[in-house]
């Protein structure tokens, strides 16, 4: 029904998390965790002016995600939920999204904080985080109501590998 | 240096914008604009529970983006900027991101508001918007300082086609 859309990694995420089990499940839980985002040299010119931003949106490939599952039981719940109502990796297109703090840019490397990403994860894109575009108020969060804050303590297990 | 990462459209965005020229450049400028996000029937099961959320993150393919450019002059500026410090479509991996209001879910169709997306755009992913994960405060926005609000009035031209 639809044709392939082909992307390439533009870099790689380096983090202390070498095992998908026991990881923070969201940036909020990786608050003090520093990591780096290496952008391959051929794309480094695109990082110009990024150092003015305090936060960036990382898009990356959940390269260790297992089979696609349309209904999953998320880390923060005991009920099965539609995968598009979760942030689980086992989505039809395994794209991950994290908003992280940008501590600095050194050449082709971003020093970041709050990185809830597995070491070695292929990077797809970096975007500046802009409250006028990305920040919403008066938000309802469905099944995550009363559970989202639990992400600070909750660690991953192997259910999505 | 890196292998292909292959995705497929999981749906298509329907909006009033059939021409990339004269479009709102961010959801903030498309505030009252309603559109729909059709998720192909084979993925509809993944939409379960999404109706509890007031906002969703759409990831989509900038299918009409022209050549990759690492330095661009964004709609909101007169200076050239590194593409990763902008939201311009001409990025190495042409992935667009918009946070939109979810008005309702009817079968495999999401009714959304604030859709700054070209009609016919291939959908890559839908994620729930969760303030605990996605909302940052105390943010610096570099070159966009004093310019981001201009997105409400600014319309696109053909520079990225």
């Amino acid at each position: 029904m639809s044709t392939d859309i082909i992307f390439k990694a533009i870099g790689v995420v380096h983090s202390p998390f070498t095992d998908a089990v026991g990881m923070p499940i969201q940036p909020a839980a990786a608050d003090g965790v520093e990591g780096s985002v290496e952008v391959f040299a051929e794309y480094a010119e695109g990082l110009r002016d990024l150092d003015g931003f305090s936060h960036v949106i990382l898009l990356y490939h959940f390269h260790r995600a297992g089979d696609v599952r349309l209904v999953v039981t998320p880390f923060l719940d005991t009920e099965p939920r539609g995968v598009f109502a979760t942030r689980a990796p086992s989505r039809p297109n395994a794209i991950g999204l994290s908003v992280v703090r940008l501590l600095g840019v050194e050449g082709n490397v971003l020093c970041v904080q709050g990185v809830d990403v597995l070491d070695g994860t292929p990077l797809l894109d970096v975007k500046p985080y802009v409250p006028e575009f990305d920040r919403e108020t008066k938000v309802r969060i469905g099944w995550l109501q009363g559970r989202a804050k639990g992400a600070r303590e909750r660690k991953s297990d192997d259910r999505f590998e």
Side-chain angles (χ1 to χ4, degrees), chain A residues 104-125:
Chain A
V105 181
E106 292 169 12
N108 64 324
V109 176
L110 315 183
C111 303
V112 296
Q113 197 174 47
V115 58
D116 62 329
V117 181
L118 198 64
D119 186 55
T121 292
L123 179 71
L124 291 172
D125 199 8

Side-chain angles (χ1 to χ4, degrees), chain A residues 50 53 55-59 98 100 125-130 134:
Chain A
L50 192 64
F53 292 82
H55 294 76
V56 295
I57 303 171
L58 302 179
L59 297 180
S98 296
V100 298
D125 199 8
V126 178
K127 298 181 191 289
Y129 178 85
V130 183
D134 303 314

Side-chain angles (χ1 to χ4, degrees), chain A residues 142-157:
Chain A
W143 69 267
L144 269 164
Q145 184 65 43
R147 292 192 175 91
K149 285 190 171 54
R152 289 190 178 272
E153 285 79 45
R154 191 75 171 79
K155 298 282 188 264
S156 68
D157 53 40

Side-chain angles (χ1 to χ4, degrees), chain A residues 32-70:
Chain A
V33 176
E34 295 189 15
S36 63
V37 178
E38 175 191 350
V39 174
F40 298 142
E42 63 199 281
Y43 303 110
E45 199 186 357
L47 296 174
R48 225 164 91 175
D49 307 298
L50 192 64
D51 58 359
F53 292 82
S54 61
H55 294 76
V56 295
I57 303 171
L58 302 179
L59 297 180
Y60 47 87
H61 182 213
F62 282 127
H63 64 308
R64 295 266 298 270
D67 291 342
V68 172
R69 277 180 276 167
L70 294 178

